Amino acid sequence: MKPVHVSIVSGKGGVGKSTVSANLAVSLSRLGKKVGLIDADIYGFSIPSMMEVRMEPETVQERLQPIEKFGVKLMSSGFLRLDNQPVVMRGPMLGRVLKTFLHTVDWGELDYLLFDLPPGTGDIPLDLHDLVKDMREIVVTTPHETASEVAFRAGAMTARTGNEILGVVENMSYIQCGCCDKPLYPFGENGGKQLAESLRSRVLAQFPIERPGQEAPALGIYHEDSLIGRQYRELADDVIRLTS
Ligand SMILES: Nc1ncnc2c1ncn2[C@@H]1O[C@H](COP(=O)(O)OP(=O)(O)OP(=O)(O)O)[C@@H](O)[C@H]1O
Ligand SMILES: [Mg+2]
């Protein structure tokens, strides 16, 4: 059976797409799903460092083997460039790399294949749209209006391409005050809600500003029993519910 394809998109950079992609992938796997994650940010890959993977994939019978971490099968251009040199490619080559990741990697049987996208509406999202026809999308924003406005353009492009928007994730929504336990909203409130309304969709999650911390399994992965770890589990539950 074909896996459910889910891409994690935003208009603006640095809002948390890779964090959401990696943690959603791990949470789906914790719930027993077979999960693959393609780091489609070919130039600006961050999945290898977030998941603390420094290995080169093997090739078996001309098929690239994904690297497995926390139960998730991973492929990233970062695995192919261990010396951390910048990736220099012209537009058309990006599509070829994506095609290789999709069709030449030995994914085996998967329930979900996630795509961590670069910001914006450039070559990579368009190439991906040509390659995968049944894409579901999660749009990530911060509560800040500018981020949600720009994310709207990414979401609006999704709607035009006929892909289905699963919902909006508002990241870096609030800080849980250590003294009074009240949430503080340094970037304002309601950016995610407004974005979801304008996309005629829903807010799937609001994640606080919090680093994964010392007990975390990897630099960018939250512990499953932490507050955000539990919120990611709920997000994974929602994604399963919305896609089955
Ligand atoms: N909820 C959060 N609390 C604190 N830090 C966070 C949170 N979410 C993400 N970060 C941090 O913010 C930075 C940007 O996050 P991330 O790389 O996931 O964003 P991105 O949208 O993928 O960026 P890019 O557009 O560059 O690909 C990272 O250092 C990440 O660890
Ligand atoms: Mg990223």
Side-chain angles (χ1 to χ4, degrees):
M1 227 180 52
K2 258 178 42 176
V4 176
H5 295 111
V6 182
S7 61
I8 291 79
V9 307
S10 79
K12 233 171 139 59
V15 295
K17 292 174 296 300
S18 303
T19 305
V20 170
S21 306
N23 282 280
L24 175 59
V26 171
S27 299
L28 284 166
S29 158
R30 285 172 182 156
L31 290 172
K33 298 295 177 190
K34 297 190 192 80
V35 188
L37 170 59
I38 291 184
D39 186 348
D41 196 343
I42 313 281
Y43 299 115
F45 52 83
S46 53
I47 294 297
S49 65
M50 246 171 216
M51 295 186 77
E52 293 184 23
V53 179
R54 283 191 68 81
M55 282 166 77
E56 211 163 335
E58 289 177 13
T59 304
V60 178
Q61 291 172 343
E62 296 183 18
R63 300 205 71 185
L64 207 52
Q65 303 299 305
I67 291 177
E68 198 163 328
K69 186 93 191 245
F70 307 126
V72 178
K73 290 180 176 169
L74 305 165
M75 188 48 65
S76 168
S77 57
F79 298 156
L80 312 172
R81 309 201 52 85
L82 293 178
D83 49 0
N84 207 23
Q85 292 298 304
V87 178
V88 183
M89 274 181 214
R90 291 196 186 276
M93 281 178 76
L94 295 170
R96 254 175 275 156
V97 174
L98 278 180
K99 207 168 172 180
T100 303
F101 283 1
L102 257 174
H103 299 308
T104 314
V105 171
D106 191 5
W107 292 108
E109 200 189 307
L110 291 178
D111 299 313
Y112 287 90
L113 183 55
L114 269 50
F115 298 82
D116 174 23
L117 264 77
T121 48
D123 283 339
I124 292 178
L126 288 173
D127 285 336
L128 202 54
H129 174 250
D130 290 340
L131 288 167
V132 181
K133 291 298 172 199
D134 54 353
M135 189 70 88
R136 326 282 179 95
E137 296 199 357
I138 293 177
V139 187
V140 183
T141 185
T142 68
H144 195 271
E145 288 144 46
T146 334
S148 56
E149 267 173 37
V150 189
F152 173 72
R153 289 200 279 280
M157 174 174 145
T158 306
R160 266 208 303 281
T161 53
N163 291 347
E164 182 193 338
I165 297 176
L166 287 181
V168 171
V169 166
E170 191 185 80
N171 191 35
M172 309 191 208
S173 296
Y174 59 93
I175 300 172
Q176 200 72 50
C177 174
C179 325
C180 60
D181 223 27
K182 270 198 186 142
L184 307 170
Y185 299 95
F187 301 133
E189 286 179 75
N190 290 328
K193 187 163 165 266
Q194 281 164 10
L195 174 61
E197 278 168 13
S198 46
L199 294 172
R200 294 199 181 83
S201 188
R202 57 185 82 75
V203 176
L204 291 170
Q206 288 178 295
F207 295 118
I209 300 174
E210 199 177 302
R211 309 288 298 173
Q214 293 211 322
E215 79 289 359
L219 205 62
I221 304 297
Y222 294 94
H223 192 282
E224 60 185 317
D225 295 329
S226 67
L227 170 71
I228 302 195
R230 292 199 302 273
Q231 286 179 300
Y232 268 104
R233 186 200 163 104
E234 284 170 26
L235 175 63
D237 273 330
D238 282 347
V239 167
I240 293 170
R241 187 174 46 78
L242 290 166
T243 55
S244 36

